[in-house]
Amino acid sequence: MVTPEALLVIIRHAPHSSNLLREGLDAALVAAAFGQPVHLLFMGQGIMALLKEQGSGAPGQKATLPTIDMLEMYDIDQLLVPEGALQSMQISADSLIENATLIADQQIPGLFQQHATILNF
Amino acid sequence: MVTPEALLVIIRHAPHSSNLLREGLDAALVAAAFGQPVHLLFMGQGIMALLKEQGSGAPGQKATLPTIDMLEMYDIDQLLVPEGALQSMQISADSLIENATLIADQQIPGLFQQHATILNF
Amino acid sequence: MILHILTKAPDSSAATQMQQAVGDQDAVLLIEAAVTAALDVSWDAWQQYPSRIFLLSEDLISRGLANIAEDNELPTLEMEGFVALTEQYEKTVTWY
Amino acid sequence: MILHILTKAPDSSAATQMQQAVGDQDAVLLIEAAVTAALDVSWDAWQQYPSRIFLLSEDLISRGLANIAEDNELPTLEMEGFVALTEQYEKTVTWY
Amino acid sequence: MQYGLLVMGAPYSSPAPHSALRFAHALLSRGHQITGVFFYHDGVHNASSLMAPPQDELNLREAWVELNQQQAVPLDVCIAAALRRGLMSESEAQRHGKQAFNVAPPFELTGLGQLLELQQRADRLITFA
Amino acid sequence: MQYGLLVMGAPYSSPAPHSALRFAHALLSRGHQITGVFFYHDGVHNASSLMAPPQDELNLREAWVELNQQQAVPLDVCIAAALRRGLMSESEAQRHGKQAFNVAPPFELTGLGQLLELQQRADRLITFA
């Protein structure tokens, strides 16, 4: 599933809470544009970036979903979500966009070991 | 204990974590310098500002205790600490500086009601 | 009578501290990251402050939580309603 | 083998997330606000990672927690020791 | 009623300034007055005239300037909080021997006393942080 | 060994830059090299030449400049993160029609690719945030 030379980018911050989500996704996109395989792991509030019903709130609240949709164009197709995190956020799996992949919590440490490079946002 | 025209300043952030502690204390000192009675309530990590053994860590880590010591010079003598917060931080009362005053957790809502002006840092 | 404005998630220390300060006559408004409370109907604040706790609608919508708030029958307010609350309550305290 | 650097208090979401990621061979270094963990000997990380969890000494001192860490017999490191850990562990991940 | 706003979050890094702006416009549409806005802590970054966000994002400084132009709302910036964060007016730049400045009217650098005065003059003080 | 540092916290608002600087000096005293420092997210504020903290506080920009002068450590600042936060170089100021700038050498505005290159060239990348 994961290749050693891939970059693991961890997204832990929600849309609209800080710019960490956006700047984490930017790092992922730039790495992919440079030809590096990129895997994304969503933890905690970061999972909210994958909610499919994010809409237009107030004018000027810039949406995150268009950036999430761009990931696929850059061949970033591993959007990993630990099941436990989803449960503790009380989010149902079908609220997430389609290409999110659930993983067991026990897989998290292994994921960290298998990636030579990691960026944590 | 509290007079209606007093300002309640709430300190919730620890030394060295952000500048909120320093900027909250600055607001308290300026209000006192303008002649307004000021009461301080310490909650959560903010209680760490009152630990008496804060020392010189690395060069450039600016200490908070000198500012805390200045409060008395400005007649800010109510440094209120809820007992429950102290317990949940597992700090013993004798680790705090002498002029900290313990209050019962149930007194917190009343404290908010009694002050016409509140600033929350 | 105080309006407490929470801007952080219900599991934050800001939320814990707010809950220690809310009095019997006070109201609570959840904005920004605090609207994630819509996901957690078991959050004790929902039981503690019935009929005086609200979610800011546009922050729910932008975070994809509007339908969930509706399904859970949680009370929402527009920005106008936020202003109306501040008219009604003499003091406001923001928890962040 | 990863060195996890925690910069936030043990009750933060950063700490929870870190604990989900720490592997059997990994080490943990507590710096900045994370050194408040010295107050809480019942924090499960102390039991989970014995002999591979450390507190940064100068951050303990500046926060008035050095004696408490000593009383609780918790392992501390100087900045030199922090560097030594990063030499030993190929990868580091910072939780903030 | 008279409202004072205290803004303590930086543009883009915090949603607070945008919430404050939306609240300000809702205030005006309900017929209230804004006595003043005070920028403190990381909120001082709202005043930066060098802010250049991507074109598809709201320029928050411009949004504040517009509010000032519509209703003559004073935009006060805590000078101590500003200086340590790299924000200074032309006169402060001269005092500190700097070649440039990034705080200009309608934003004004002022002391913390202004915040306490705002709190006393306004019927309501609302914090966005 | 070769170390890269990623700094994502703003001076004074976060302890991260100060931790990073202390770590950098400990690296050098143990005989390591610093391949580069990359400033991202709120860390871009470290580059501000208009920073004017009180005299009894460390001037973090000057501390970075000193590190650069001692060991020729590159100080790279993410341009996209910088522009939206009000940090720009002389050439960016011209491009954006601004009268002033607040990022000057040894700090250089650069793209995010530089961070990924730093991660690949250095034996270790340590994040301070």
Side-chain angles (χ1 to χ4, degrees):
Chain A
M1 182 175 93
V2 283
T3 51
E5 67 277 12
L7 169 69
L8 179 65
V9 175
I10 305 148
I11 300 290
R12 299 180 296 122
H13 292 81
H16 308 289
S17 73
S18 72
N19 220 44
L20 279 167
L21 166 62
R22 174 115 8 113
E23 291 178 335
L25 293 176
D26 282 351
L29 289 170
V30 169
F34 278 29
Q36 199 174 0
V38 177
H39 303 147
L40 289 182
L41 172 64
F42 294 82
M43 299 181 83
Q45 294 263 322
I47 296 172
M48 296 188 59
L50 302 176
L51 285 173
K52 65 181 168 199
E53 285 182 355
Q54 295 170 68
S56 304
Q61 284 184 324
K62 204 195 167 192
T64 304
L65 266 188
T67 313
I68 296 285
D69 290 340
M70 278 177 66
L71 296 171
E72 216 175 350
M73 287 167 45
Y74 283 79
D75 294 326
I76 305 177
D77 46 16
Q78 296 223 357
L79 311 183
L80 308 172
V81 179
E83 278 168 0
L86 206 58
Q87 275 162 28
S88 68
M89 293 280 295
Q90 307 199 37
I91 295 175
S92 69
D94 57 9
S95 314
L96 300 185
I97 59 167
E98 271 183 25
N99 44 349
T101 306
L102 294 193
I103 62 168
D105 289 16
Q106 303 90 291
Q107 290 178 263
I108 302 174
L111 207 56
F112 278 70
Q113 306 303 323
Q114 289 159 52
H115 286 80
T117 53
I118 302 171
L119 288 174
N120 194 6
F121 290 98
Chain B
M1 183 176 94
V2 282
T3 51
E5 67 278 11
L7 170 68
L8 179 65
V9 175
I10 305 148
I11 299 290
R12 299 180 297 121
H13 291 82
H16 308 289
S17 74
S18 72
N19 220 44
L20 279 166
L21 167 61
R22 174 115 9 111
E23 292 178 334
L25 293 176
D26 281 351
L29 289 169
V30 169
F34 277 31
Q36 199 173 1
V38 177
H39 304 147
L40 289 181
L41 172 64
F42 293 81
M43 299 181 84
Q45 295 263 322
I47 295 172
M48 297 189 58
L50 302 176
L51 285 173
K52 64 183 168 196
E53 284 182 356
Q54 295 169 69
S56 304
Q61 285 185 324
K62 204 196 165 190
T64 304
L65 267 188
T67 313
I68 296 283
D69 290 340
M70 276 176 67
L71 296 171
E72 216 175 351
M73 287 167 45
Y74 283 77
D75 294 326
I76 304 177
D77 46 17
Q78 297 223 357
L79 311 182
L80 307 173
V81 179
E83 280 169 358
L86 206 58
Q87 275 163 28
S88 68
M89 293 279 296
Q90 306 199 39
I91 295 174
S92 68
D94 57 11
S95 314
L96 300 184
I97 59 168
E98 271 183 25
N99 43 352
T101 306
L102 295 191
I103 62 167
D105 289 16
Q106 303 90 292
Q107 289 179 264
I108 301 174
L111 207 54
F112 277 70
Q113 306 301 326
Q114 289 159 52
H115 287 80
T117 53
I118 301 173
L119 288 174
N120 194 6
F121 290 98
Chain C
M1 297 231 310
I2 298 176
L3 173 65
H4 297 269
I5 303 170
L6 181 65
T7 71
K8 292 291 188 297
D11 65 351
S12 64
S13 54
T16 309
Q17 290 156 6
M18 180 195 76
Q19 290 180 265
Q20 290 165 356
V22 175
D24 294 339
Q25 309 286 312
D26 295 355
V28 173
L29 176 65
L30 309 173
I31 69 170
E32 300 170 6
V35 299
T36 56
L39 292 162
D40 186 7
V41 285
S42 66
W43 185 38
D44 44 10
W46 293 120
Q47 275 72 53
Q48 281 165 347
Y49 326 120
S51 79
R52 50 198 176 95
I53 179 166
F54 308 92
L55 293 151
L56 187 63
S57 183
E58 57 197 43
D59 287 349
L60 281 169
I61 295 168
S62 64
R63 285 165 182 80
L65 300 174
N67 286 346
I68 290 165
E70 204 180 335
D71 291 349
N72 291 336
E73 297 179 359
L74 301 171
T76 62
L77 281 181
E78 305 294 323
M79 197 50 98
E80 287 262 302
F82 179 0
V83 174
L85 277 182
T86 66
E87 293 164 6
Q88 202 182 331
Y89 291 82
E90 269 174 76
K91 290 179 273 183
T92 76
V93 177
T94 302
W95 301 87
Y96 56 91
Chain D
M1 297 229 311
I2 299 176
L3 172 64
H4 296 270
I5 303 171
L6 180 65
T7 71
K8 290 291 188 297
D11 66 351
S12 64
S13 53
T16 309
Q17 290 156 4
M18 181 195 76
Q19 290 180 265
Q20 289 165 357
V22 174
D24 293 341
Q25 308 287 312
D26 296 353
V28 172
L29 176 65
L30 308 173
I31 70 170
E32 300 170 5
V35 299
T36 55
L39 290 162
D40 186 7
V41 286
S42 67
W43 186 37
D44 43 10
W46 293 120
Q47 275 72 53
Q48 281 165 345
Y49 326 119
S51 78
R52 49 196 178 98
I53 179 167
F54 308 92
L55 294 151
L56 186 64
S57 183
E58 58 198 42
D59 286 349
L60 281 169
I61 295 168
S62 64
R63 285 166 183 78
L65 301 174
N67 286 346
I68 290 165
E70 205 181 334
D71 292 349
N72 291 338
E73 297 180 357
L74 301 172
T76 61
L77 281 180
E78 305 294 323
M79 197 49 97
E80 288 261 303
F82 179 179
V83 174
L85 276 182
T86 64
E87 293 164 5
Q88 201 182 331
Y89 290 83
E90 268 174 75
K91 289 179 274 185
T92 75
V93 177
T94 302
W95 301 87
Y96 55 92
Chain E
M1 277 196 279
Q2 291 283 343
Y3 278 77
L5 304 185
L6 170 59
V7 178
M8 307 222 282
Y12 314 111
S13 295
S14 158
H18 191 230
S19 295
L21 270 162
R22 285 145 50 203
F23 183 79
H25 287 290
L27 279 180
L28 298 178
S29 73
R30 278 181 73 93
H32 296 298
Q33 269 93 51
I34 302 175
T35 320
V37 183
F38 192 87
F39 297 93
Y40 195 37
H41 189 63
D42 289 343
V44 298
H45 289 297
N46 283 277
S48 174
S49 44
L50 295 179
M51 188 190 298
Q55 299 210 329
D56 64 340
E57 288 182 47
L58 187 66
N59 184 314
L60 279 154
R61 180 184 186 275
E62 283 175 12
W64 287 115
V65 170
E66 211 174 287
L67 182 73
N68 166 273
Q69 285 169 347
Q70 278 172 25
Q71 301 283 335
V73 176
L75 303 174
D76 288 327
V77 181
C78 174
I79 187 166
L83 288 175
R84 64 155 57 86
R85 288 177 177 82
L87 287 133
M88 51 174 73
S89 62
E90 189 165 13
S91 60
E92 284 303 314
Q94 279 168 5
R95 196 193 314 264
H96 286 87
K98 303 281 186 184
Q99 311 279 329
F101 61 94
N102 54 359
V103 177
F107 290 93
E108 299 287 349
L109 295 183
T110 178
L112 257 180
Q114 197 68 29
L115 167 62
L116 299 162
E117 211 196 295
L118 181 62
Q119 190 167 43
Q120 279 165 359
R121 279 171 52 215
D123 301 305
R124 301 285 186 269
L125 180 78
I126 318 288
T127 300
F128 291 89
Chain F
M1 278 197 279
Q2 291 283 344
Y3 278 77
L5 304 185
L6 169 59
V7 178
M8 306 223 282
Y12 315 111
S13 295
S14 157
H18 192 230
S19 294
L21 270 162
R22 285 144 51 203
F23 183 79
H25 287 289
L27 278 180
L28 299 177
S29 73
R30 277 181 74 93
H32 296 296
Q33 268 93 51
I34 303 176
T35 320
V37 183
F38 191 86
F39 298 92
Y40 195 37
H41 189 64
D42 289 343
V44 299
H45 289 297
N46 283 276
S48 174
S49 45
L50 294 178
M51 190 190 295
Q55 299 211 328
D56 62 342
E57 287 182 48
L58 186 66
N59 184 315
L60 278 155
R61 180 182 186 276
E62 283 173 13
W64 288 115
V65 170
E66 211 175 287
L67 182 74
N68 167 271
Q69 285 168 348
Q70 276 172 24
Q71 302 281 335
V73 176
L75 303 175
D76 289 326
V77 181
C78 173
I79 186 167
L83 287 175
R84 64 156 56 87
R85 288 176 178 83
L87 286 131
M88 50 174 73
S89 62
E90 190 166 11
S91 61
E92 285 303 315
Q94 277 167 5
R95 195 193 314 264
H96 286 86
K98 302 282 186 183
Q99 311 279 330
F101 60 95
N102 54 0
V103 177
F107 290 94
E108 300 287 349
L109 294 185
T110 178
L112 256 181
Q114 198 68 30
L115 167 62
L116 299 161
E117 211 196 293
L118 181 62
Q119 189 168 43
Q120 278 164 0
R121 280 171 52 214
D123 302 305
R124 300 284 187 269
L125 179 77
I126 318 287
T127 300
F128 292 88

